[in-house]
């Protein structure tokens, strides 16, 4: 999906441990039981993306992780309430 271009997702708080938003289409899933950690980027139900800033255990498809920031800094960056997050591939 990102090979076609950047993806901007409108995300909102959920459960005081994550941001979640719709990606507008369905992707294949490979759900496994995991316990998330701050910074995990998760595909949920095949059509939503989540960024965790705390722990949660469930069956998820892990897509990646935010690196180089701690839990407090990540929560500060994401802020409270709604936020627009742009996902893109790293340039080589």
């Amino acid at each position: 999906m990102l090979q076609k271009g950047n993806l901007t997702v409108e995300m909102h708080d959920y459960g005081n441990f994550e941001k979640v938003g719709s990606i507008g289409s369905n992707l294949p899933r490979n759900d496994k039981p995991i316990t998330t950690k701050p910074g995990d980027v998760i595909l949920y139900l095949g059509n939503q993306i989540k960024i965790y800033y705390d722990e949660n255990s469930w069956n998820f498809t892990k897509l990646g992780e935010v690196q180089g920031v701690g839990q407090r800094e990540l929560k500060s960056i994401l802020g409270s309430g709604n936020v627009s997050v742009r996902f893109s591939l790293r340039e080589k």
Side-chain angles (χ1 to χ4, degrees), residues 6 70 72 75:
N6 297 338
R72 284 190 192 134
K75 195 168 183 179

Side-chain angles (χ1 to χ4, degrees), residues 40-91:
D40 281 347
V41 179
I42 300 292
L43 178 65
Y44 179 63
L45 299 176
N47 62 4
Q48 297 174 55
I49 196 164
K50 297 181 173 200
I51 302 174
Y52 280 84
Y53 48 84
D54 211 333
E55 292 183 356
N56 185 32
S57 295
W58 199 255
N59 295 324
F60 296 124
T61 299
K62 184 173 179 177
L63 298 175
E65 58 189 51
V66 178
Q67 297 179 341
V69 294
Q71 180 180 18
R72 284 190 192 134
E73 185 178 5
L74 182 60
K75 195 168 183 179
S76 175
I77 290 167
L78 294 173
S80 61
N82 297 344
V83 64
S84 294
V85 177
R86 185 179 72 189
F87 295 90
S88 62
L89 295 177
R90 182 183 348 182
E91 293 182 24

Side-chain angles (χ1 to χ4, degrees), residues 9-10 27 32 48 68:
V9 179
E10 301 300 319
L27 296 176
K32 296 179 181 174
Q48 297 174 55

